[in-house]
């Protein structure tokens, strides 16, 4: 386990979340609500077992997985498209590939100083989020 992302993290910047949501086919009204959110992430990492709970005043999303083991992801409350997800280490970065209907879908988490970074990818769109410890 190269890095431990465990903790409670608050969003401080969110670049091109709009483009990411458009690529996912999220409707206009939902995007309007979602783009002003400042979600919090609660990450628990125990060996290869990881849970990432993204919470906001509008919607929550809970993800639990074992690193290196492919699983079915339902994306409930996001775009609701099922995909097969696989999370692996790329040096100190945690990389998720979400295989399904949408091309080039996935995300990467890493630490930079005290900050947690998240890159969300879908088709030709990249959203960059930065979180600070709560
Ligand atoms: O995060 O894939 O940390 O799942 C946003 C919820 C959650 C509120 C975004 C707005 C999840 C939803 C991003 C309206 C469409 C994500 C992974 C990496 C873990």
């Amino acid at each position: 386990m190269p890095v431990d992302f465990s903790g409670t993290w608050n969003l401080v910047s969110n670049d091109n979340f709009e483009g990411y949501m458009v690529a996912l086919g999220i409707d206009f009204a939902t995007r309007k609500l979602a783009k002003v959110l400042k979600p919090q992430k609660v990450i628990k990492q125990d060996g290869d077992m990881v849970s990432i709970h993204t919470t906001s005043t509008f919607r929550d999303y809970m993800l639990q997985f074992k690193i290196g083991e492919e699983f079915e992801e339902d994306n409930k409350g996001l775009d609701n498209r099922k995909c097969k997800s696989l999370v692996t280490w790329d040096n100190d970065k945690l990389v998720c590939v979400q295989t399904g209907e949408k091309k080039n879908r996935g995300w990467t988490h890493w630490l930079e100083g005290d900050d947690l970074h998240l890159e969300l990818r879908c088709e030709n769109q990249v959203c960059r989020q930065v979180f600070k410890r709560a």
Side-chain angles (χ1 to χ4, degrees):
M1 184 173 68
V3 186
D4 190 357
F5 297 99
S6 296
T8 301
W9 302 89
N10 290 331
L11 184 88
V12 293
S13 72
N14 195 1
D15 177 44
N16 196 37
F17 190 46
E18 172 70 10
Y20 175 74
M21 287 192 291
V22 169
L24 282 177
I26 307 293
D27 67 83
F28 179 80
T30 305
R31 294 203 312 272
K32 277 275 181 193
L33 287 166
K35 72 181 177 190
V36 298
L37 298 174
K38 295 273 180 269
Q40 186 174 69
K41 278 193 198 278
V42 178
I43 302 180
K44 290 180 182 149
Q45 206 175 315
D46 180 15
D48 285 342
M49 301 304 298
V50 180
S51 69
I52 303 178
H53 197 181
T54 309
T55 62
S56 76
T57 51
F58 174 51
R59 253 172 224 178
D60 295 347
Y61 188 68
M62 178 64 164
L63 191 66
Q64 281 178 287
F65 55 88
K66 184 175 183 183
I67 295 167
E69 211 167 83
E70 194 175 59
F71 60 99
E72 292 254 8
E73 187 174 2
D74 61 11
N75 297 288
K76 206 170 167 60
L78 306 177
D79 65 322
N80 297 305
R81 272 190 205 88
K82 289 191 173 66
C83 62
K84 298 249 198 234
S85 299
L86 174 65
V87 183
T88 55
W89 289 110
D90 175 12
N91 295 304
D92 286 347
K93 294 187 173 185
L94 202 56
V95 179
C96 180
V97 175
Q98 296 171 306
T99 306
E101 201 183 317
K102 290 289 177 182
K103 300 293 169 213
N104 191 37
R105 183 170 184 173
W107 51 259
T108 301
H109 267 299
W110 70 97
L111 295 177
E112 248 180 68
D114 293 333
D115 297 339
L116 174 72
H117 286 246
L118 172 61
E119 183 182 276
L120 294 161
R121 298 174 293 275
C122 183
E123 297 183 323
N124 61 342
Q125 296 297 312
V126 180
C127 167
R128 291 185 177 81
Q129 300 185 335
V130 181
F131 298 79
K132 288 194 181 292
R133 283 198 189 272

